[in-house]
Amino acid sequence: MKTLEGYKYAKAKYAEIGIDTDAVIEKLKNIKISMQCWQGDDVNGFLFKDIALSGGIQTTGNYPGKANTADELRADIDKAFSLIAGKHKLSLHAIYADTDEKVDLDELEPKHFQKWVDWAKENGYGLDFNPTCFSHPMADSGFTISSADEKVRNFWIKHCIASRKIAEYFGKELGQTCCTNFWFPDGYKDIPVDREAPRRRMMTALDEVFAEPIDEKYNLDGIESKVFGIGAESYTVGSNEFCVAYATSRNKMCTLDAGHFHPTEMISDKIPTVLLFTNDLLLHVSRPVRWDSDHVIILDDELCAIAQSIVRNDLLDRTHIGLDFFDASINRVAAWVIGMRNMQKALLKALLEPTAELQNIELEGDYTSRLALLEEYKSYPFGAVWDYFCEVNGVPVGEDWLKEVKAYENEVLSKR
Ligand code: RNT
Ligand code: ZN
């Protein structure tokens, strides 16, 4: 009841600046966010037992209750999704194959993911995919698809080709385009002599990976750049220039990860820029704290700016919003819920803005009004719209979701 009263006031307030909050709520409900499965078990996966996370990424913390099996992970994801309005996608990594077969990455087939597909179908979720080019002996040299060793290179090319077939299968089965993200940790700890050859090898290898056309209705490929990784501080093969140039010249997506640039470089500025030159864009919304630390995303200025970049320029249909964080120091279901709900909040804030009016003011050169209005709109009653959005979509309002996560922790997670 309180929620409805608050909403009535907010609706009237936003109507004064020409915003139809009912329409905004409807729109937000239909924006799919791709939730990363790897938050649920600290990027372990189920394909290989006792293998250390490699590739210059790291999870820290040992909060109890992580998922040890695919069934546990699916249960945790179901719990998280039950606390998040709308129907979303799950982003799977290849190491999350759910099979009893002993199978290596280069031999993976759609059948090894059948249980995920059945579950997604049953629940109306979409699936995205990621080849796993790390945490594997073939990645021990620090190089995968750009390795100078042909055997190593070919192994990863095969894995990536297999991954696209799995993605195509997801797209066909679920009737939703699967986004496949290609990220390679390849790089040098110390200063290299030859900065070209590894990139040339990566370019040629990727061309092999993408040689077979796949209907874009089923699968879209994204290439994720990075500035550096732990142990690859001096040189990263898949740099930003490499990935942007590759994607634009090959009609692929760039994948922009918020933690993969220099600390003051923001992906919010890159979103509309890259989309001038590519059809689609994949995001890994993350939160770097001093480095690519992959903290849970909070409702900070950059998250709001990311949402504004997408909404203001009408790029929702071409921007595939995926999340990428993995915090092992807090309840993992809560981490998902906090991140997903924050992404939605940021989108809601952006949707509640009278963009056309602000753009006109800017074109007229009235920068005083631009600043004044942007600041005033920040204290409009967005929270009341958010609460109502949650209520009409049947998910907990405000912090009530936390009680459910705590109960799940007591009943399920703590018994693992
Ligand atoms: C690593 C990349 C990559 C991974 C996931 C697990 O820096 O961001 O996207 O986080 O594939
Ligand atoms: Zn990422």
Side-chain angles (χ1 to χ4, degrees):
M1 193 55 208
K2 265 205 217 130
T3 307
L4 186 61
E5 273 165 33
Y7 180 63
K8 274 187 189 153
Y9 163 71
K11 188 176 153 100
K13 186 79 186 144
Y14 280 106
E16 284 172 15
I17 53 169
I19 302 292
D20 176 352
T21 49
D22 290 337
V24 164
I25 282 173
E26 191 53 32
K27 193 160 186 181
L28 183 62
K29 190 182 92 186
N30 295 315
I31 302 176
K32 282 185 195 293
I33 301 169
S34 185
M35 192 172 90
Q36 75 289 22
C37 75
W38 50 92
Q39 166 62 70
D41 76 333
D42 316 337
V43 210
N44 274 283
F46 310 114
L47 208 49
F48 311 111
K49 289 274 163 270
D50 306 318
I51 196 155
L53 181 59
S54 80
I57 54 178
Q58 238 162 52
T59 52
T60 54
N62 55 357
Y63 198 86
K66 79 167 192 218
N68 299 303
T69 64
D71 284 329
E72 286 180 356
L73 186 59
R74 279 188 287 267
D76 294 354
I77 293 164
D78 282 332
K79 185 76 220 174
F81 274 151
S82 77
L83 305 171
I84 299 158
K87 281 281 172 202
H88 298 281
K89 292 174 103 181
L90 181 79
S91 188
L92 278 175
H93 242 286
I95 45 172
Y96 289 81
D98 187 4
T99 175
D100 295 331
E101 242 178 83
K102 272 252 155 285
V103 56
D104 207 346
L105 291 171
D106 59 335
E107 300 158 336
L108 283 172
E109 289 176 51
K111 66 174 184 196
H112 301 119
F113 293 86
Q114 192 56 47
K115 286 193 201 157
W116 284 107
V117 171
D118 294 342
W119 166 82
K121 239 186 229 175
E122 214 170 282
N123 293 286
Y125 309 143
L127 288 176
D128 287 333
F129 200 64
N130 303 258
T132 309
C133 303
F134 51 84
S135 303
H136 189 281
M138 282 295 224
D140 280 350
S141 67
F143 286 83
T144 64
I145 205 162
S146 72
S147 169
D149 180 340
E150 200 182 340
K151 212 175 121 231
V152 173
R153 214 165 56 239
N154 284 338
F155 174 84
W156 293 109
I157 291 173
K158 269 184 81 185
H159 173 49
C160 290
I161 291 174
S163 294
R164 290 181 84 225
K165 299 232 163 85
I166 294 160
E168 179 185 31
Y169 181 71
F170 287 176
K172 278 188 181 159
E173 287 293 303
L174 301 173
Q176 292 184 44
T177 314
C178 174
C179 292
T180 306
N181 180 52
F182 295 82
W183 173 68
F184 308 98
D186 301 29
Y188 284 119
K189 180 183 177 74
D190 225 325
I191 305 156
V193 174
D194 191 343
R195 290 176 180 272
E196 195 228 46
R199 291 187 172 132
R200 184 176 290 281
R201 285 193 296 268
M202 184 176 277
M203 178 175 77
T204 312
L206 284 174
D207 285 346
E208 265 189 65
V209 169
F210 299 131
E212 193 181 317
I214 292 183
D215 194 330
E216 296 204 333
K217 200 162 84 193
Y218 305 127
N219 175 59
L220 285 172
D221 305 301
I223 324 286
E224 183 177 12
S225 68
K226 188 162 175 174
V227 63
F228 81 94
I230 302 291
E233 288 87 354
S234 301
Y235 172 82
T236 296
V237 183
S239 61
N240 182 49
E241 291 72 24
F242 177 90
C243 292
V244 171
Y246 189 87
T248 50
S249 60
R250 294 344 192 241
N251 191 26
K252 297 290 169 196
M253 296 187 287
C254 288
T255 303
L256 299 177
D257 183 308
H260 287 196
F261 296 87
H262 293 285
T264 59
E265 220 180 327
M266 298 296 166
I267 65 163
S268 49
D269 181 60
K270 300 174 192 298
I271 293 166
T273 317
V274 167
L275 275 171
L276 285 174
F277 303 97
T278 63
N279 292 331
D280 289 77
L281 177 69
L282 185 56
L283 295 185
H284 269 188
V285 184
S286 191
R287 179 167 56 108
V289 178
R290 306 194 188 282
W291 68 292
D292 181 32
S293 58
D294 294 288
H295 278 62
V296 178
I297 55 170
I298 57 172
L299 190 60
D300 58 8
D301 285 352
E302 173 59 0
L303 189 66
C304 293
I306 288 170
Q308 286 162 352
S309 276
I310 304 169
V311 170
R312 285 179 178 166
N313 302 295
D314 206 10
L315 301 173
L316 276 167
D317 291 344
R318 295 163 58 206
T319 309
H320 306 272
I321 306 172
L323 309 187
D324 185 9
F325 49 79
F326 29 97
D327 188 338
S329 73
I330 58 172
N331 181 303
R332 295 168 186 80
V333 176
W336 271 320
V337 177
I338 294 165
M340 288 289 283
R341 286 174 66 118
N342 277 336
M343 189 68 241
Q344 289 187 311
K345 284 183 192 172
L347 288 162
L348 175 61
K349 270 177 165 263
L351 289 165
L352 288 170
E353 179 192 84
T355 305
E357 189 203 337
L358 288 166
Q359 280 165 345
N360 280 337
I361 287 169
E362 183 166 273
L363 276 178
E364 284 160 10
D366 183 0
Y367 304 143
T368 308
S369 299
R370 181 179 65 182
L371 181 62
L373 292 175
L374 281 172
E375 289 308 298
E376 284 303 324
Y377 295 155
K378 282 182 182 170
S379 47
Y380 267 49
F382 126 87
V385 183
W386 168 251
D387 287 349
Y388 186 69
F389 169 76
C390 290
E391 186 161 287
V392 294
N393 283 292
V395 300
V397 172
E399 58 273 34
D400 284 358
W401 64 265
L402 186 56
K403 282 183 224 129
E404 290 200 33
V405 172
K406 292 279 184 191
Y408 186 71
E409 180 167 293
N410 281 339
E411 285 151 29
V412 181
L413 301 179
S414 67
K415 302 202 171 113
R416 284 182 183 162

mmCIF file with all atom_site columns, all heavy atoms in Angstrom, residues 38 181 183 224 255 257 260 284 294 324, ligand 2:
data_model
loop_
_atom_site.group_PDB
_atom_site.id
_atom_site.type_symbol
_atom_site.label_atom_id
_atom_site.label_alt_id
_atom_site.label_comp_id
_atom_site.label_asym_id
_atom_site.label_entity_id
_atom_site.label_seq_id
_atom_site.pdbx_PDB_ins_code
_atom_site.Cartn_x
_atom_site.Cartn_y
_atom_site.Cartn_z
_atom_site.occupancy
_atom_site.B_iso_or_equiv
_atom_site.pdbx_formal_charge
_atom_site.auth_seq_id
_atom_site.auth_comp_id
_atom_site.auth_asym_id
_atom_site.auth_atom_id
_atom_site.pdbx_PDB_model_num
ATOM   1  N  N   . TRP A 1 38  ? 29.549 -17.506 -13.280 1.00 0.00 ? 38  TRP A N   1
ATOM   2  C  CA  . TRP A 1 38  ? 30.792 -17.759 -12.527 1.00 0.00 ? 38  TRP A CA  1
ATOM   3  C  C   . TRP A 1 38  ? 30.857 -17.042 -11.176 1.00 0.00 ? 38  TRP A C   1
ATOM   4  O  O   . TRP A 1 38  ? 31.734 -17.334 -10.379 1.00 0.00 ? 38  TRP A O   1
ATOM   5  C  CB  . TRP A 1 38  ? 32.018 -17.453 -13.390 1.00 0.00 ? 38  TRP A CB  1
ATOM   6  C  CG  . TRP A 1 38  ? 32.067 -16.128 -14.091 1.00 0.00 ? 38  TRP A CG  1
ATOM   7  C  CD1 . TRP A 1 38  ? 32.623 -14.977 -13.618 1.00 0.00 ? 38  TRP A CD1 1
ATOM   8  C  CD2 . TRP A 1 38  ? 31.580 -15.826 -15.411 1.00 0.00 ? 38  TRP A CD2 1
ATOM   9  N  NE1 . TRP A 1 38  ? 32.513 -13.965 -14.556 1.00 0.00 ? 38  TRP A NE1 1
ATOM   10 C  CE2 . TRP A 1 38  ? 31.877 -14.462 -15.669 1.00 0.00 ? 38  TRP A CE2 1
ATOM   11 C  CE3 . TRP A 1 38  ? 30.923 -16.562 -16.411 1.00 0.00 ? 38  TRP A CE3 1
ATOM   12 C  CZ2 . TRP A 1 38  ? 31.533 -13.823 -16.878 1.00 0.00 ? 38  TRP A CZ2 1
ATOM   13 C  CZ3 . TRP A 1 38  ? 30.588 -15.928 -17.604 1.00 0.00 ? 38  TRP A CZ3 1
ATOM   14 C  CH2 . TRP A 1 38  ? 30.892 -14.587 -17.829 1.00 0.00 ? 38  TRP A CH2 1
ATOM   15 N  N   . ASN A 1 181 ? 31.309 -14.654 -26.064 1.00 0.00 ? 181 ASN A N   1
ATOM   16 C  CA  . ASN A 1 181 ? 32.381 -13.713 -25.772 1.00 0.00 ? 181 ASN A CA  1
ATOM   17 C  C   . ASN A 1 181 ? 33.741 -14.396 -25.797 1.00 0.00 ? 181 ASN A C   1
ATOM   18 O  O   . ASN A 1 181 ? 33.965 -15.394 -25.118 1.00 0.00 ? 181 ASN A O   1
ATOM   19 C  CB  . ASN A 1 181 ? 32.159 -13.084 -24.392 1.00 0.00 ? 181 ASN A CB  1
ATOM   20 C  CG  . ASN A 1 181 ? 33.263 -12.106 -24.072 1.00 0.00 ? 181 ASN A CG  1
ATOM   21 O  OD1 . ASN A 1 181 ? 33.564 -11.213 -24.861 1.00 0.00 ? 181 ASN A OD1 1
ATOM   22 N  ND2 . ASN A 1 181 ? 33.914 -12.285 -22.939 1.00 0.00 ? 181 ASN A ND2 1
ATOM   23 N  N   . TRP A 1 183 ? 37.477 -14.039 -24.897 1.00 0.00 ? 183 TRP A N   1
ATOM   24 C  CA  . TRP A 1 183 ? 38.514 -13.323 -24.144 1.00 0.00 ? 183 TRP A CA  1
ATOM   25 C  C   . TRP A 1 183 ? 39.728 -14.221 -23.977 1.00 0.00 ? 183 TRP A C   1
ATOM   26 O  O   . TRP A 1 183 ? 39.603 -15.378 -23.583 1.00 0.00 ? 183 TRP A O   1
ATOM   27 C  CB  . TRP A 1 183 ? 38.017 -12.874 -22.764 1.00 0.00 ? 183 TRP A CB  1
ATOM   28 C  CG  . TRP A 1 183 ? 39.155 -12.297 -21.988 1.00 0.00 ? 183 TRP A CG  1
ATOM   29 C  CD1 . TRP A 1 183 ? 39.813 -11.129 -22.249 1.00 0.00 ? 183 TRP A CD1 1
ATOM   30 C  CD2 . TRP A 1 183 ? 39.822 -12.899 -20.876 1.00 0.00 ? 183 TRP A CD2 1
ATOM   31 N  NE1 . TRP A 1 183 ? 40.852 -10.972 -21.357 1.00 0.00 ? 183 TRP A NE1 1
ATOM   32 C  CE2 . TRP A 1 183 ? 40.876 -12.031 -20.505 1.00 0.00 ? 183 TRP A CE2 1
ATOM   33 C  CE3 . TRP A 1 183 ? 39.633 -14.079 -20.149 1.00 0.00 ? 183 TRP A CE3 1
ATOM   34 C  CZ2 . TRP A 1 183 ? 41.741 -12.313 -19.454 1.00 0.00 ? 183 TRP A CZ2 1
ATOM   35 C  CZ3 . TRP A 1 183 ? 40.496 -14.365 -19.095 1.00 0.00 ? 183 TRP A CZ3 1
ATOM   36 C  CH2 . TRP A 1 183 ? 41.534 -13.476 -18.750 1.00 0.00 ? 183 TRP A CH2 1
ATOM   37 N  N   . GLU A 1 224 ? 36.699 -9.434  -26.487 1.00 0.00 ? 224 GLU A N   1
ATOM   38 C  CA  . GLU A 1 224 ? 36.918 -8.619  -25.285 1.00 0.00 ? 224 GLU A CA  1
ATOM   39 C  C   . GLU A 1 224 ? 38.373 -8.178  -25.148 1.00 0.00 ? 224 GLU A C   1
ATOM   40 O  O   . GLU A 1 224 ? 39.280 -9.005  -25.070 1.00 0.00 ? 224 GLU A O   1
ATOM   41 C  CB  . GLU A 1 224 ? 36.489 -9.427  -24.051 1.00 0.00 ? 224 GLU A CB  1
ATOM   42 C  CG  . GLU A 1 224 ? 36.595 -8.655  -22.746 1.00 0.00 ? 224 GLU A CG  1
ATOM   43 C  CD  . GLU A 1 224 ? 36.081 -9.465  -21.546 1.00 0.00 ? 224 GLU A CD  1
ATOM   44 O  OE1 . GLU A 1 224 ? 35.861 -10.679 -21.683 1.00 0.00 ? 224 GLU A OE1 1
ATOM   45 O  OE2 . GLU A 1 224 ? 35.908 -8.864  -20.468 1.00 0.00 ? 224 GLU A OE2 1
ATOM   46 N  N   . THR A 1 255 ? 33.589 -6.378  -27.044 1.00 0.00 ? 255 THR A N   1
ATOM   47 C  CA  . THR A 1 255 ? 33.094 -6.550  -25.676 1.00 0.00 ? 255 THR A CA  1
ATOM   48 C  C   . THR A 1 255 ? 33.842 -5.552  -24.814 1.00 0.00 ? 255 THR A C   1
ATOM   49 O  O   . THR A 1 255 ? 35.069 -5.580  -24.747 1.00 0.00 ? 255 THR A O   1
ATOM   50 C  CB  . THR A 1 255 ? 33.351 -7.975  -25.146 1.00 0.00 ? 255 THR A CB  1
ATOM   51 O  OG1 . THR A 1 255 ? 32.753 -8.914  -26.029 1.00 0.00 ? 255 THR A OG1 1
ATOM   52 C  CG2 . THR A 1 255 ? 32.767 -8.149  -23.746 1.00 0.00 ? 255 THR A CG2 1
ATOM   53 N  N   . ASP A 1 257 ? 34.602 -4.360  -21.205 1.00 0.00 ? 257 ASP A N   1
ATOM   54 C  CA  . ASP A 1 257 ? 34.547 -4.701  -19.781 1.00 0.00 ? 257 ASP A CA  1
ATOM   55 C  C   . ASP A 1 257 ? 34.992 -3.464  -19.006 1.00 0.00 ? 257 ASP A C   1
ATOM   56 O  O   . ASP A 1 257 ? 36.066 -2.909  -19.266 1.00 0.00 ? 257 ASP A O   1
ATOM   57 C  CB  . ASP A 1 257 ? 35.468 -5.904  -19.511 1.00 0.00 ? 257 ASP A CB  1
ATOM   58 C  CG  . ASP A 1 257 ? 35.423 -6.370  -18.067 1.00 0.00 ? 257 ASP A CG  1
ATOM   59 O  OD1 . ASP A 1 257 ? 35.601 -5.534  -17.154 1.00 0.00 ? 257 ASP A OD1 1
ATOM   60 O  OD2 . ASP A 1 257 ? 35.228 -7.587  -17.835 1.00 0.00 ? 257 ASP A OD2 1
ATOM   61 N  N   . HIS A 1 260 ? 38.662 -3.144  -17.740 1.00 0.00 ? 260 HIS A N   1
ATOM   62 C  CA  . HIS A 1 260 ? 39.759 -3.491  -18.641 1.00 0.00 ? 260 HIS A CA  1
ATOM   63 C  C   . HIS A 1 260 ? 40.467 -2.312  -19.275 1.00 0.00 ? 260 HIS A C   1
ATOM   64 O  O   . HIS A 1 260 ? 41.074 -2.440  -20.329 1.00 0.00 ? 260 HIS A O   1
ATOM   65 C  CB  . HIS A 1 260 ? 39.245 -4.431  -19.734 1.00 0.00 ? 260 HIS A CB  1
ATOM   66 C  CG  . HIS A 1 260 ? 38.986 -5.807  -19.225 1.00 0.00 ? 260 HIS A CG  1
ATOM   67 N  ND1 . HIS A 1 260 ? 38.824 -6.887  -20.041 1.00 0.00 ? 260 HIS A ND1 1
ATOM   68 C  CD2 . HIS A 1 260 ? 38.877 -6.278  -17.960 1.00 0.00 ? 260 HIS A CD2 1
ATOM   69 C  CE1 . HIS A 1 260 ? 38.602 -7.965  -19.310 1.00 0.00 ? 260 HIS A CE1 1
ATOM   70 N  NE2 . HIS A 1 260 ? 38.620 -7.616  -18.046 1.00 0.00 ? 260 HIS A NE2 1
ATOM   71 N  N   . HIS A 1 284 ? 30.566 -6.128  -20.453 1.00 0.00 ? 284 HIS A N   1
ATOM   72 C  CA  . HIS A 1 284 ? 30.847 -6.822  -19.206 1.00 0.00 ? 284 HIS A CA  1
ATOM   73 C  C   . HIS A 1 284 ? 30.850 -5.735  -18.151 1.00 0.00 ? 284 HIS A C   1
ATOM   74 O  O   . HIS A 1 284 ? 31.865 -5.082  -17.925 1.00 0.00 ? 284 HIS A O   1
ATOM   75 C  CB  . HIS A 1 284 ? 32.201 -7.526  -19.247 1.00 0.00 ? 284 HIS A CB  1
ATOM   76 C  CG  . HIS A 1 284 ? 32.113 -8.935  -19.725 1.00 0.00 ? 284 HIS A CG  1
ATOM   77 N  ND1 . HIS A 1 284 ? 33.167 -9.806  -19.691 1.00 0.00 ? 284 HIS A ND1 1
ATOM   78 C  CD2 . HIS A 1 284 ? 31.064 -9.628  -20.219 1.00 0.00 ? 284 HIS A CD2 1
ATOM   79 C  CE1 . HIS A 1 284 ? 32.766 -10.981 -20.155 1.00 0.00 ? 284 HIS A CE1 1
ATOM   80 N  NE2 . HIS A 1 284 ? 31.492 -10.897 -20.489 1.00 0.00 ? 284 HIS A NE2 1
ATOM   81 N  N   . ASP A 1 294 ? 37.024 -6.878  -10.277 1.00 0.00 ? 294 ASP A N   1
ATOM   82 C  CA  . ASP A 1 294 ? 35.728 -7.532  -10.444 1.00 0.00 ? 294 ASP A CA  1
ATOM   83 C  C   . ASP A 1 294 ? 34.876 -7.518  -9.179  1.00 0.00 ? 294 ASP A C   1
ATOM   84 O  O   . ASP A 1 294 ? 34.300 -8.532  -8.786  1.00 0.00 ? 294 ASP A O   1
ATOM   85 C  CB  . ASP A 1 294 ? 35.909 -8.965  -10.977 1.00 0.00 ? 294 ASP A CB  1
ATOM   86 C  CG  . ASP A 1 294 ? 36.470 -8.977  -12.393 1.00 0.00 ? 294 ASP A CG  1
ATOM   87 O  OD1 . ASP A 1 294 ? 35.734 -8.623  -13.320 1.00 0.00 ? 294 ASP A OD1 1
ATOM   88 O  OD2 . ASP A 1 294 ? 37.657 -9.309  -12.570 1.00 0.00 ? 294 ASP A OD2 1
ATOM   89 N  N   . ASP A 1 324 ? 29.965 -8.934  -15.207 1.00 0.00 ? 324 ASP A N   1
ATOM   90 C  CA  . ASP A 1 324 ? 31.181 -9.712  -14.971 1.00 0.00 ? 324 ASP A CA  1
ATOM   91 C  C   . ASP A 1 324 ? 31.822 -9.274  -13.661 1.00 0.00 ? 324 ASP A C   1
ATOM   92 O  O   . ASP A 1 324 ? 32.576 -8.319  -13.624 1.00 0.00 ? 324 ASP A O   1
ATOM   93 C  CB  . ASP A 1 324 ? 32.167 -9.537  -16.139 1.00 0.00 ? 324 ASP A CB  1
ATOM   94 C  CG  . ASP A 1 324 ? 33.391 -10.434 -15.975 1.00 0.00 ? 324 ASP A CG  1
ATOM   95 O  OD1 . ASP A 1 324 ? 33.383 -11.281 -15.065 1.00 0.00 ? 324 ASP A OD1 1
ATOM   96 O  OD2 . ASP A 1 324 ? 34.356 -10.273 -16.754 1.00 0.00 ? 324 ASP A OD2 1
HETATM 97 ZN ZN  . ZN  B 2 .   ? 35.011 -9.540  -18.688 1.00 0.00 ? 2   ZN  B ZN  1
#
